[in-house]
């Protein structure tokens, strides 16, 4: 039987990755035979990954009941639910993760701020915290430090997450934006602006940053600015990181109360020291 090669997943699904050129008619014949075979096996979700160069197979797949699921620069993913049970195919990624950096110079009570050349804040004369989007496969704590260095040249170390907010239909008027406000401690202070995106960057007194008309008129920005000021004025505890591993052994981070994070790390270090004796 001329079945397409596929990899079975843990949910009774099959993923077919096309890696050899194929005539559309041949593909249709093999796809129909494969779908029949997989139905007999009790399979449910069938995924077809079409790399660039296989666009000639899209129409055939759609004709056989497949729909677009998502696309990346190098491939298109299609999916079809072939079981008589309710369709439980997960939706395409629904969120992007944004970060904002409160880079705090405690000695001078100044924060790092920027004015952007483009985007929402262009020509608004607003001084804002460095912000950006976390890359695929990048941790929040690493992404926010990268954004600070890219936009201002400042090298800073992640300390904790102060707060976060959720905004729906924020990206492409469809995706939800999760935005994490983070505190960082600078290791350098000389600014080098990212010429392509940043009009100007500077150190600004925290009070001046908070009191900007924009921050006072826009409620969400006012709340976030007041959280920044509170962090500067008192011992405001956020969420710090505890490095760990997932069930499959991948490096990951748990974000929790900073005091508890210190306690967890200290306990683990003590246990590690004891076991090595």
């Amino acid at each position: 039987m001329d079945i397409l090669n596929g990899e079975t997943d843990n949910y009774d699904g099959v993923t077919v990755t096309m890696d050899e050129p194929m005539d559309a008619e041949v593909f249709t014949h093999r796809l129909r035979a494969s779908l029949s075979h997989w139905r007999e096996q009790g399979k449910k979700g069938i995924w077809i990954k079409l790399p660039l160069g296989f666009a000639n197979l899209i129409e055939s797949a759609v004709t056989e009941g497949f729909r677009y699921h998502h696309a990346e620069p190098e491939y298109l993913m299609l999916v079809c639910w072939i079981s008589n049970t309710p369709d439980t195919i997960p939706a395409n990624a629904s969120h992007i993760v944004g970060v904002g950096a409160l880079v705090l110079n405690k000695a001078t009570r100044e924060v790092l701020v920027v004015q952007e050349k483009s985007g929402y804040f262009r020509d608004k004369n607003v001084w804002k915290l460095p912000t950006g989007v976390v890359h695929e496969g990048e941790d929040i704590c690493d992404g926010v430090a990268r954004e600070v260095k890219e936009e201002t040249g400042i090298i800073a170390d992640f300390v904790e997450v102060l707060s976060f907010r959720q905004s729906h239909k924020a990206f492409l008027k469809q995706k939800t934006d999760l935005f994490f406000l983070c505190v960082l401690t600078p290791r350098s202070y000389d600014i080098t602006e990212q010429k392509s995106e940043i009009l100007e960057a500077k150190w600004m007194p925290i009070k001046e940053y908070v009191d900007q008309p924009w921050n006072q008129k826009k409620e969400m920005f006012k709340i976030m600015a007041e959280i920044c000021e509170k962090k500067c004025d008192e011992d405001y505890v956020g969420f710090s990181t505890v490095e760990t591993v997932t069930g499959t052994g991948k490096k990951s981070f748990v974000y929790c109360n900073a005091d508890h994070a210190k306690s967890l790390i200290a306990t683990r270090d003590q246990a590690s020291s004891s076991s090595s004796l």
Side-chain angles (χ1 to χ4, degrees):
M1 192 178 296
D2 208 8
I3 304 301
L4 294 169
N5 292 325
E7 181 179 352
T8 302
D9 60 35
N10 293 326
Y11 302 94
D12 293 322
V14 177
T15 300
V16 176
T17 300
M18 300 301 299
D19 53 11
E20 294 183 3
M22 188 177 299
D23 178 79
E25 289 187 10
V26 174
F27 173 72
T28 298
H29 171 75
R30 295 186 62 182
L31 180 57
R32 287 173 180 171
S34 300
L35 290 173
S36 178
H37 175 69
W38 291 326
R39 286 191 178 95
E40 291 177 0
Q41 289 188 324
K43 301 304 182 185
K44 298 177 180 178
I46 309 300
W47 303 81
I48 297 180
K49 184 177 181 180
L50 295 180
L52 287 174
F54 290 78
N56 65 308
L57 306 183
I58 294 175
E59 184 177 356
S60 297
V62 171
T63 300
E64 297 305 315
F66 282 78
R67 64 181 185 268
Y68 296 165
H69 186 269
H70 66 273
E72 295 291 342
E74 67 278 6
Y75 71 86
L76 171 68
M77 184 71 83
L78 299 100
V79 68
C80 179
W81 187 262
I82 63 173
S83 172
N84 291 326
T85 59
D87 186 340
T88 58
I89 294 293
N92 181 24
S94 58
H95 291 63
I96 61 170
V97 178
V99 286
L102 173 62
V103 184
L104 175 60
N105 185 337
K106 291 184 177 180
T108 62
R109 287 182 53 80
E110 292 180 318
V111 296
L112 183 64
V113 293
V114 300
Q115 284 191 336
E116 296 178 338
K117 287 184 175 181
S118 60
Y120 182 73
F121 287 97
R122 181 176 60 184
D123 299 329
K124 286 186 169 63
N125 194 33
V126 175
W127 291 96
K128 59 184 288 290
L129 302 178
T131 59
V133 176
V134 175
H135 292 168
E136 182 177 350
E138 184 177 46
D139 289 296
I140 292 169
C141 51
D142 295 330
V144 69
R146 172 187 52 76
E147 284 290 348
V148 169
K149 185 178 180 181
E150 287 179 355
E151 291 191 358
T152 69
I154 298 294
I155 299 173
D157 297 319
F158 173 87
V159 178
E160 59 192 17
V161 173
L162 276 185
S163 66
F164 70 91
R165 65 108 176 97
Q166 188 177 27
S167 178
H168 299 299
K169 298 187 182 299
F171 180 65
L172 301 177
K173 297 182 179 179
Q174 182 176 358
K175 303 298 182 181
T176 294
D177 176 28
L178 281 174
F179 180 86
F180 292 83
L181 176 61
C182 306
V183 182
L184 292 91
T185 299
R187 282 195 276 139
S188 63
Y189 298 89
D190 294 332
I191 294 171
T192 303
E193 292 96 343
Q194 183 183 30
K195 298 301 182 182
S196 60
E197 295 185 14
I198 303 302
L199 182 66
E200 188 177 355
K202 67 178 182 179
W203 293 97
M204 174 181 282
I206 181 64
K207 184 65 174 173
E208 184 179 343
Y209 164 71
V210 173
D211 287 344
Q212 290 182 96
W214 180 272
N215 287 337
Q216 294 302 308
K217 292 178 182 178
K218 306 289 186 178
E219 183 182 58
M220 186 186 71
F221 289 90
K222 182 177 181 180
I223 291 172
M224 301 288 266
E226 288 176 347
I227 290 173
C228 293
E229 186 175 31
K230 194 173 183 66
K231 178 63 180 178
C232 295
D233 290 341
E234 56 188 84
D235 190 19
Y236 185 98
V237 178
F239 292 87
S240 191
T241 55
V242 179
E243 185 175 330
T244 184
V245 293
T246 66
T248 57
K250 293 185 294 185
K251 175 183 173 182
S252 185
F253 292 96
V254 172
Y255 293 79
C256 62
N257 175 278
D259 289 339
H260 186 54
K262 292 177 183 177
S263 175
L264 288 172
I265 294 171
T267 300
R268 183 167 62 188
D269 290 346
Q270 184 178 11
S272 178
S273 298
S274 298
S275 64
S276 64
L277 295 178

